Amino acid sequence: MCPQTSFEVEFTDTVAIVTGASGALGSAVVDRFRSAGATVCAVDVVEPDDEDSLLEPDDRTHFYETDLTDEAAVSGLVDEVIDDHGRLDHLCNVAGTWRGGQPIEDTDLEEFELLVDVNLKTAFLASKHALPHLQDSEGSIVSISARSSLEGGEGDGPYRITKAGIRLLTETLAAENEGIVRANCVMPSVIDTPMNREMMPDADHEKWVDPGEIADVLAFLCSDGAAVTSGAAIPVYGEA
């Protein structure tokens, strides 16, 4: 479960789209926005089946199965959300994946394209089609970059490249929508999820950041408390 939140945000009568909602971070974001009073449209290509998921549909949580790499599907998703709920106030681009890998000269094109599609194309398409409605509501976008996007490195270059793209997409959205739609992103390092614990059983898990703590930051960035913040890349890696 998410840790007790240390501050309150108020999202009553607002509508939020959360992509990647079936994952550990996405489900924590759904839970945080729902607890703040938002109607949450939880989006993923697969329905959640993990017993640790916080995504429990109720009268303010609605699941939309959508391939976010397909532009027609994303356009249809946004239209359906507007038809169902009448407005859109927040977009949380959480969908993404991590892959290690080989040096660039040994990286398969298919793997590079997968990371571009899942990490960057989904955020681009969701932002593109949500923007007209977010402009109407003077809403907000928050996306997931990564600490490792700040520099090149060995073994996971395509991942770093796509997460650097998220930062530049965020800055572009902020510049193009100044005073209308705020756009920010956060930069995690290793998130304390069951999958990461399984992949790195000997790591110091106490230094990892809980998904609920990151969800708190996303909620703050979409709140009135961050009304003067746009175009920012916020570290959320704690001691990790």
Side-chain angles (χ1 to χ4, degrees), residues 134-227:
L134 294 171
Q135 289 163 350
D136 287 343
S137 65
E138 297 188 354
S140 57
I141 300 172
V142 63
S143 305
I144 307 298
S145 180
R147 180 181 186 176
S148 62
S149 74
L150 294 171
E151 59 186 2
E154 297 180 3
D156 62 350
Y159 173 80
R160 294 171 184 253
I161 290 165
T162 58
K163 289 301 187 177
I166 289 290
R167 288 192 292 106
L168 291 174
L169 173 63
T170 296
E171 292 173 5
T172 301
L173 292 168
E176 291 179 346
N177 294 275
E178 185 176 0
I180 305 170
V181 176
R182 294 184 298 107
N184 296 287
C185 65
V186 300
M187 298 185 297
S189 181
V190 184
I191 304 174
D192 190 3
T193 66
M195 181 177 294
N196 283 340
R197 286 192 176 228
E198 182 178 340
M199 291 173 60
M200 295 174 274
D202 298 325
D204 184 356
H205 303 150
E206 295 301 316
K207 291 186 176 181
W208 294 356
V209 179
D210 187 272
E213 295 174 309
I214 297 174
D216 274 348
V217 179
L218 268 65
F220 172 73
L221 289 171
C222 288
S223 75
D224 292 341

Side-chain angles (χ1 to χ4, degrees), residues 37-239:
T39 295
V40 182
C41 302
V43 181
D44 211 309
V45 70
V46 294
E47 291 193 37
D49 58 6
D50 187 343
E51 64 181 9
D52 295 321
S53 174
L54 296 171
L55 179 52
E56 299 174 358
D58 57 21
D59 60 347
R60 285 190 295 103
T61 311
H62 309 271
F63 184 79
Y64 296 79
E65 186 174 335
T66 307
D67 179 358
L68 292 163
T69 68
D70 181 323
E71 183 164 20
V74 176
S75 176
L77 162 71
V78 174
D79 288 345
E80 188 176 358
V81 167
I82 298 301
D83 287 345
D84 289 347
H85 307 293
R87 61 183 294 127
L88 179 60
D89 301 271
H90 314 293
L91 170 64
C92 299
N93 288 313
V94 183
T97 190
W98 180 84
R99 293 288 190 280
Q102 305 298 317
I104 292 296
E105 69 267 25
D106 297 320
T107 299
D108 290 338
L109 176 60
E110 292 79 6
E111 179 140 325
F112 179 80
E113 289 177 333
L114 170 69
L115 288 161
V116 170
D117 283 351
V118 176
N119 290 345
L120 187 54
K121 185 178 180 181
T122 59
F124 164 75
L125 288 176
S127 300
K128 173 183 176 179
H129 290 280
L131 266 170
H133 306 287
L134 294 171
Q135 289 163 350
D136 287 343
S137 65
E138 297 188 354
S140 57
I141 300 172
V142 63
S143 305
I144 307 298
S145 180
R147 180 181 186 176
S148 62
S149 74
L150 294 171
E151 59 186 2
E154 297 180 3
D156 62 350
Y159 173 80
R160 294 171 184 253
I161 290 165
T162 58
K163 289 301 187 177
I166 289 290
R167 288 192 292 106
L168 291 174
L169 173 63
T170 296
E171 292 173 5
T172 301
L173 292 168
E176 291 179 346
N177 294 275
E178 185 176 0
I180 305 170
V181 176
R182 294 184 298 107
N184 296 287
C185 65
V186 300
M187 298 185 297
S189 181
V190 184
I191 304 174
D192 190 3
T193 66
M195 181 177 294
N196 283 340
R197 286 192 176 228
E198 182 178 340
M199 291 173 60
M200 295 174 274
D202 298 325
D204 184 356
H205 303 150
E206 295 301 316
K207 291 186 176 181
W208 294 356
V209 179
D210 187 272
E213 295 174 309
I214 297 174
D216 274 348
V217 179
L218 268 65
F220 172 73
L221 289 171
C222 288
S223 75
D224 292 341
V228 297
T229 302
S230 191
I234 308 296
V236 289
Y237 36 80
E239 300 177 46

